[in-house]
Amino acid sequence: MTDITAQLKCFESQVINYRSYNLAYMTVMRSIQATQMRRIPSCVVLVGISGCGKTTLANQVISAYPPQSSTEDDRGVRNRRPTMYCGLPTKATIKSFAKALLESLEFEAYSGDAFDLTMRAIRQIHLQNVEVVFLDEFQMLADKKAEQARIDVINCVARLVDRTGIPFVILGTPEIEGFFY
């Protein structure tokens, strides 16, 4: 019997790009390009049912960038991270969201209030030369009981976009449509 393990692994890694998937991919790439050309953040909200490929699309865009790297200079070790992926925590607050951002940036200074943590995340995004941020699982803010937390986190994202000047790509299920449209 012939061993087809290698062929199966190759098959599993293939992505079938449907028309709507290609459109979403091109929208994200154009958003990044437009931001670089105009120096004004052009963000994207991708909405789809669970399992439709939003995270796969984010990973495909991330894979189009060079990998994370580190350099050392007289001020210490500097990470270069062209892309950043962060999943929203369950029952997110500004503080838990800022902690999740710092964790995604592999920066372990989690003490302080929400403002301090957010400012630290902004500084790390600049220091690590992040060019695009993916925020996944945004439907975690859809809980009706947490309306104030939703407003606070969305306002925090708006501040992050303003202060960093880079595009944010927000991924979530249809529950988030009312947040933005």
Side-chain angles (χ1 to χ4, degrees):
M1 181 177 253
T2 306
D3 184 17
I4 60 168
T5 305
Q7 290 91 343
L8 287 174
K9 284 191 185 283
C10 181
F11 179 76
E12 285 177 351
S13 68
Q14 299 300 310
V15 176
I16 299 171
N17 293 334
Y18 291 99
R19 187 177 195 173
S20 57
Y21 185 95
N22 285 338
L23 177 62
Y25 180 85
M26 292 310 298
T27 300
V28 170
M29 296 307 284
R30 285 186 187 124
S31 153
I32 296 166
Q33 234 175 11
T35 299
Q36 292 168 344
M37 288 173 35
R38 296 184 330 210
R39 305 257 186 243
I40 299 170
S42 178
C43 300
V44 176
V45 177
L46 291 178
V47 175
I49 61 171
S50 183
C52 74
K54 298 177 300 294
T55 303
T56 300
L57 185 137
N59 288 329
Q60 186 177 9
V61 173
I62 290 167
S63 72
Y65 280 80
Q68 176 183 341
S69 60
S70 296
T71 57
E72 191 168 351
D73 60 18
D74 57 338
R75 292 186 289 180
V77 176
R78 298 214 179 255
N79 290 327
R80 180 171 182 340
R81 177 188 314 273
T83 60
M84 179 182 153
Y85 176 90
C86 178
L88 251 68
T90 307
K91 297 184 180 179
T93 62
I94 297 175
K95 189 168 182 174
S96 68
F97 172 57
K99 284 182 178 181
L101 289 171
L102 289 168
E103 187 177 319
S104 296
L105 291 160
E106 297 177 7
F107 189 77
E108 297 182 9
Y110 301 134
S111 62
D113 63 17
F115 179 80
D116 292 336
L117 294 170
T118 303
M119 294 309 292
R120 216 171 286 148
I122 290 168
R123 181 163 167 68
Q124 285 302 309
I125 287 169
H126 284 297
L127 288 174
Q128 295 188 33
N129 297 309
V130 176
E131 296 174 31
V132 61
V133 175
F134 292 88
L135 297 179
D136 204 354
E137 306 299 339
F138 222 73
Q139 69 274 5
M140 294 298 175
L141 298 173
D143 185 356
K144 297 284 187 206
K145 297 175 191 166
E147 186 172 343
Q148 189 58 52
R150 174 176 51 251
I151 292 166
D152 292 345
V153 171
I154 290 172
N155 286 335
C156 183
V157 171
R159 279 193 306 280
L160 287 165
V161 171
D162 288 342
R163 299 258 173 96
T164 62
I166 61 173
F168 278 60
V169 179
I170 295 173
L171 311 164
T173 57
E175 292 93 339
I176 72 168
E177 286 180 339
F179 298 178
F180 304 101
Y181 305 112

